[in-house]
């Protein structure tokens, strides 16, 4: 009753015979309101009834379940995400008499995951549609990000570059060492700003790029790659060369 996790029990017919304080707190349904009622039919949303019943029926056959996720709707119609372990209950003779479900309310975690996914999607959309060439490499220097502007400027589509070595395959030989140094530094956490280098397009034109190289880290802070945000400065460089000539 006092466990800090929602715990419920059902008998062999699926009727609730156990409903602890935490289950009551989370759902808003008291023990008196649920005991004797069919758990699946009365408290599980229609879309999940089949899968939840399968898990409970399996447990009634001795096939227990761990870390099964499903939503539970509360008395006031809120959705609560539950992570469930379903354990077979037996009598002293070893006969199956029901199932004990020990849950965990993972609503906050699921909400946070959904928010992270939303932010990640927004960031991806920003990268894809930004009016600047943006590329990413993994820790081994292979391209894993190539936005629309990078494709437009270079003539290489994302499909043509992703998975390939950026320096070896797309940087001219004379600049490979310096570009690799900049990217390697960023992989060590030493970021670069306003680094200029030429990039050759699919049709062999030379494009002058001004690059900011930013270290990419995972949620644990480990370096997983580099994000390069560029600027096409070809026209500016051409104008400067023309001014110098005059």
């Amino acid at each position: 009753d006092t466990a800090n996790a929602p715990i419920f029990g059902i008998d062999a017919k699926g009727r609730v015979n156990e409903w602890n304080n935490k289950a009551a707190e989370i759902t808003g349904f008291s023990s008196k309101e649920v005991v004797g009622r069919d758990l699946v039919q009365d408290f599980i949303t229609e879309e999940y009834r089949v899968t939840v019943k399968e898990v409970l029926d399996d447990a009634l056959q001795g096939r227990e379940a761990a870390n099964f996720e499903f939503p539970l709707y509360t008395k006031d119609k809120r959705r609560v995400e539950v992570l469930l372990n379903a354990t077979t209950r037996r009598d002293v003779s070893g006969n199956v008499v029901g199932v004990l479900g020990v849950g965990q309310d993972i609503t906050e975690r699921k909400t946070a995951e959904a928010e992270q996914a939303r932010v990640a999607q927004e960031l991806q959309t920003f990268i894809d549609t930004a009016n600047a060439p943006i590329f990413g490499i993994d820790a081994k220097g292979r391209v894993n990000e190539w936005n629309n502007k990078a494709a437009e400027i270079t003539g290489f589509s994302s499909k043509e570059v992703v998975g390939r070595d950026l320096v070896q395959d797309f940087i001219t030989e004379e600049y490979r060492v310096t570009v690799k140094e900049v990217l390697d530094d960023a992989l060590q956490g030493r970021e670069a700003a306003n680094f200029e280098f030429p990039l050759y397009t699919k049709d062999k034109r030379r494009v002058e790029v001004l690059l900011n190289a930013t270290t990419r880290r995972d949620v644990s802070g480990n370096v997983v790659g580099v994000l390069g945000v560029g600027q096409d400065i070809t026209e500016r460089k051409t104008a400067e060369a023309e001014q110098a000539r005059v």
Side-chain angles (χ1 to χ4, degrees):
D1 282 343
T2 59
N4 194 33
I7 298 175
F8 68 84
I10 59 167
D11 62 19
K13 293 184 177 180
R15 295 173 301 208
V16 179
N17 57 8
E18 194 85 61
W19 194 260
N20 79 338
N21 295 340
K22 195 68 177 178
E25 176 191 323
I26 288 174
T27 64
F29 291 105
S30 68
S31 176
K32 285 183 180 179
E33 291 176 290
V34 297
V35 167
R37 293 172 64 180
D38 187 296
L39 177 71
V40 173
Q41 288 303 311
D42 294 350
F43 299 100
I44 305 298
T45 53
E46 190 172 355
E47 67 195 292
Y48 278 85
R49 278 179 197 153
V50 172
T51 50
V52 172
K53 190 173 189 307
E54 284 175 357
V55 168
L56 298 177
D57 285 348
D58 280 349
L60 286 169
Q61 298 297 319
R63 298 185 296 273
E64 300 180 342
N67 299 332
F68 172 69
E69 292 186 18
F70 69 98
L72 200 62
Y73 278 82
T74 65
K75 196 172 185 177
D76 58 3
K77 309 302 181 186
R78 287 180 302 105
R79 178 175 170 137
V80 177
E81 300 288 342
V82 176
L83 186 68
L84 179 72
N85 290 336
T87 306
T88 307
R89 292 182 97 170
R90 300 176 187 273
D91 62 18
V92 290
S93 303
N95 301 308
V96 174
V97 293
V99 176
L100 187 69
V102 180
Q104 183 183 347
D105 180 355
I106 57 169
T107 308
E108 288 187 10
R109 192 195 82 188
K110 296 288 282 186
T111 302
E113 287 173 355
E115 177 63 13
Q116 286 175 345
R118 184 190 67 78
V119 170
Q121 183 57 49
E122 278 189 3
L123 177 60
Q124 189 61 53
T125 301
F126 167 76
I127 288 173
D128 287 342
T129 60
N131 195 32
I134 298 176
F135 68 85
I137 60 167
D138 62 20
K140 293 183 177 179
R142 295 172 303 207
V143 178
N144 57 10
E145 195 86 63
W146 194 261
N147 80 338
N148 297 341
K149 196 68 175 179
E152 177 190 321
I153 288 173
T154 64
F156 291 105
S157 70
S158 175
K159 284 183 179 178
E160 291 176 291
V161 297
V162 167
R164 294 173 63 181
D165 188 296
L166 177 71
V167 173
Q168 289 301 312
D169 294 351
F170 300 100
I171 305 298
T172 54
E173 190 171 355
E174 67 196 290
Y175 277 85
R176 278 179 197 154
V177 172
T178 51
V179 172
K180 190 173 188 310
E181 284 175 356
V182 167
L183 298 178
D184 285 349
D185 279 349
L187 286 169
Q188 297 298 316
R190 298 185 295 274
E191 300 179 344
N194 300 330
F195 171 68
E196 293 185 17
F197 70 98
L199 198 63
Y200 278 82
T201 66
K202 195 172 185 178
D203 59 3
K204 309 302 181 186
R205 287 179 300 104
R206 176 174 169 138
V207 176
E208 301 288 342
V209 176
L210 186 68
L211 179 73
N212 289 337
T214 305
T215 307
R216 292 183 97 168
R217 299 177 187 273
D218 62 19
V219 290
S220 302
N222 302 309
V223 174
V224 293
V226 176
L227 188 70
V229 180
Q231 183 182 348
D232 181 355
I233 57 169
T234 308
E235 287 186 10
R236 193 193 83 189
K237 296 289 283 186
T238 302
E240 287 174 356
E242 180 61 20
Q243 285 175 346
R245 187 187 65 79
V246 173

